[in-house]
Amino acid sequence: MAQFPELVFSGVQPTGNLHLGNYLGALKRFVEMQATHSCLYCVVDLHAMTMPHDPEQLRQNTRAVTAAFLACGIDAKKNIVFNQSRVSEHAELAWALDCVARLGWLNRMTQFKEKAGKDRENASVGLYNYPVLMAADILVYRATHVPVGDDQKQHLELARDIAQKFNNDFDASIAAHGHGDAFFPLPEPLIQGPATRVMSLRDGTKKMSKSDPSEYAHIALTDDADTIVQKIRKAKTDAEPLPGEVGGLAGRPEADNLVGIFAALGDETKADVLSRFAGSQFSGFKNALADLTVAKLGPIRAEIIRLNGDDAYVDSVLAEGAEKARAIARPNMDAVKDVLGLIR
Ligand code: AMP
Ligand code: TRP
């Protein structure tokens, strides 16, 4: 298959306060990728409309996620930071890909089933179609690598299937228009490290999420030091001391989660952490974890708060990013039109 230049794309929904799971599973990884790659980081506001939403809240959340991107260390000069709805090529390509994706594929999406719940007939068509828009987000840039948390794995597989089917269905036209033997790369998910799925602090079998009703289930990037310490102190654990090896975490979801968080925050492995804390009680371990979390999140929180007071700057970052994004997306979308037989 054709070689595509390496390009990173990822998105975060502006649907509420970002939490430690978003940070360790996504944002921290985004920051790491920029050392070696060109990256596009997108606030996916169109995705945030798939569930009932408040317009003013959406505007604020879009700025808040942008502020979090910047506060975590994403360099908007070197990379492209923007909001999805500004670059209409995302929605335009989503329609073309809607005609490629199969109903059977979408029917298998577990996130839709979870979010739609029992009253599926009443879910928005947008919620159902969400993964196709996500594929368009990536493919409109022909991005090759997508850092995400574990929960997005199935959506990435779908994006690959859609890219592959487009390449197959239109191979003759792709070749005739001088695009080689493949139009889209098959985007690779990057789901790596000790915290690809951070779990609730109240229940080690449930994913940490923005929508958990318990305040103590997640640590928000905007939590202050006292709140972080409280939440970690109250985190659910079991009665055993910490094991000396990773194998000893099996069947201990809460212990596994806290050790994973520790490792990810400190850029080490779970084995590294356990080699120091083997045989420790949770009380001591939690103190160390709280100190580390406060040390890592404190500066990010301060910068988020500063940026939250400067909407004009945040808006200017989004506007500039959208210009740069469109400069890549438009020619790609024009080429898609040529391949599909749409006169332009
Ligand atoms: P969302 O807030 O759903 O748009 O998610 C933004 C990014 O954070 C995605 O890459 C998710 O996979 C990631 N993410 C969300 N929740 C978690 C979690 N509990 N653990 C690890 N990554 C997560
Ligand atoms: N669906 C992703 C989430 O909820 C957000 C997202 C939208 C995304 N488009 C994307 C992630 C493209 C990676 C690439 O987390």
Side-chain angles (χ1 to χ4, degrees):
M1 198 170 103
Q3 281 294 312
F4 293 89
E6 292 200 351
L7 183 63
V8 169
F9 182 96
S10 197
V12 175
Q13 297 190 70
T15 44
N17 250 338
L18 293 186
H19 53 69
L20 189 61
N22 296 125
Y23 177 63
L24 296 178
L27 273 64
K28 187 168 185 293
R29 311 290 322 291
F30 296 179
V31 174
E32 289 158 8
M33 294 301 298
Q34 64 183 2
T36 48
H37 288 79
S38 305
C39 311
L40 293 119
Y41 294 127
C42 184
V43 186
V44 290
D45 48 8
L46 298 176
H47 278 107
M49 294 164 31
T50 56
M51 300 285 273
H53 84 280
D54 172 64
E56 193 45 46
Q57 199 67 51
L58 177 57
R59 240 185 302 275
Q60 280 180 21
N61 285 340
T62 300
R63 293 187 178 117
V65 170
T66 310
F69 278 2
L70 302 175
C72 289
I74 290 171
D75 180 348
K77 286 272 173 269
K78 252 190 76 200
N79 300 290
I80 302 181
V81 173
F82 69 109
N83 58 314
Q84 184 188 29
S85 60
R86 270 243 178 73
V87 182
S88 50
E89 285 77 7
H90 290 239
E92 197 178 350
L93 180 60
W95 177 258
L97 299 185
D98 272 335
C99 300
V100 174
R102 306 288 92 183
L103 274 181
W105 299 356
L106 283 184
N107 286 339
R108 286 198 286 274
M109 294 295 117
T110 55
Q111 184 175 292
F112 172 77
K113 291 180 199 168
E114 278 163 23
K115 287 201 179 176
K118 288 205 179 65
D119 194 9
R120 196 179 294 189
E121 295 286 305
N122 201 30
S124 76
V125 176
L127 186 66
Y128 185 73
N129 204 27
Y130 176 117
V132 181
L133 177 60
M134 177 163 162
D137 295 339
I138 301 163
L139 297 175
V140 81
Y141 302 99
R142 301 197 208 189
T144 55
H145 292 83
V146 185
V148 281
D150 173 75
D151 60 351
Q152 296 304 310
K153 192 169 174 206
Q154 193 184 35
H155 288 159
L156 258 299
E157 280 160 9
L158 182 86
R160 291 169 66 90
D161 288 343
I162 292 175
Q164 176 92 64
K165 183 163 163 58
F166 183 97
N167 289 343
N168 290 345
D169 288 357
F170 301 105
D171 58 347
S173 183
I174 288 166
H177 283 87
H179 291 295
D181 59 352
F183 188 86
F184 289 125
L186 304 187
E188 238 182 82
L190 298 175
I191 306 173
Q192 291 154 351
T196 56
R197 188 174 182 82
V198 176
M199 309 308 275
S200 157
L201 300 181
R202 305 303 299 161
D203 178 351
T205 64
K206 263 176 51 190
K207 192 179 70 171
M208 184 178 284
S209 88
K210 296 167 184 163
S211 54
D212 198 302
S214 166
E215 271 293 297
Y216 282 90
H218 75 270
I219 292 174
L221 295 187
T222 49
D223 280 346
D224 62 21
D226 286 350
T227 308
I228 291 174
V229 171
Q230 282 293 323
K231 287 181 177 178
I232 291 179
R233 200 169 284 159
K234 281 195 194 254
K236 189 177 168 202
T237 51
D238 54 38
E240 302 293 313
L242 283 164
E245 275 159 28
V246 176
L249 295 169
R252 300 179 63 185
E254 284 82 17
D256 187 29
N257 189 39
L258 295 180
V259 171
I261 291 171
F262 200 116
L265 279 172
D267 294 309
E268 39 180 10
T269 63
K270 289 184 193 178
D272 293 335
V273 174
L274 290 179
S275 69
R276 290 199 306 284
F277 287 96
S280 297
Q281 300 298 327
F282 275 106
S283 52
F285 176 74
K286 280 180 168 182
N287 285 338
L289 178 59
D291 286 349
L292 179 63
T293 310
V294 168
K296 296 287 179 185
L297 295 191
I300 294 175
R301 170 177 191 264
E303 184 62 4
I304 290 177
I305 291 172
R306 192 185 72 76
L307 288 167
N308 283 347
D310 197 351
D311 283 354
Y313 172 70
V314 171
D315 288 357
S316 75
V317 167
L318 291 175
E320 267 175 45
E323 285 294 316
K324 292 194 275 181
R326 197 173 306 112
I328 307 174
R330 191 62 244 167
N332 284 344
M333 190 60 221
D334 284 344
V336 168
K337 285 187 149 187
D338 293 343
V339 166
L340 290 176
L342 300 167
I343 296 173
R344 63 183 175 89

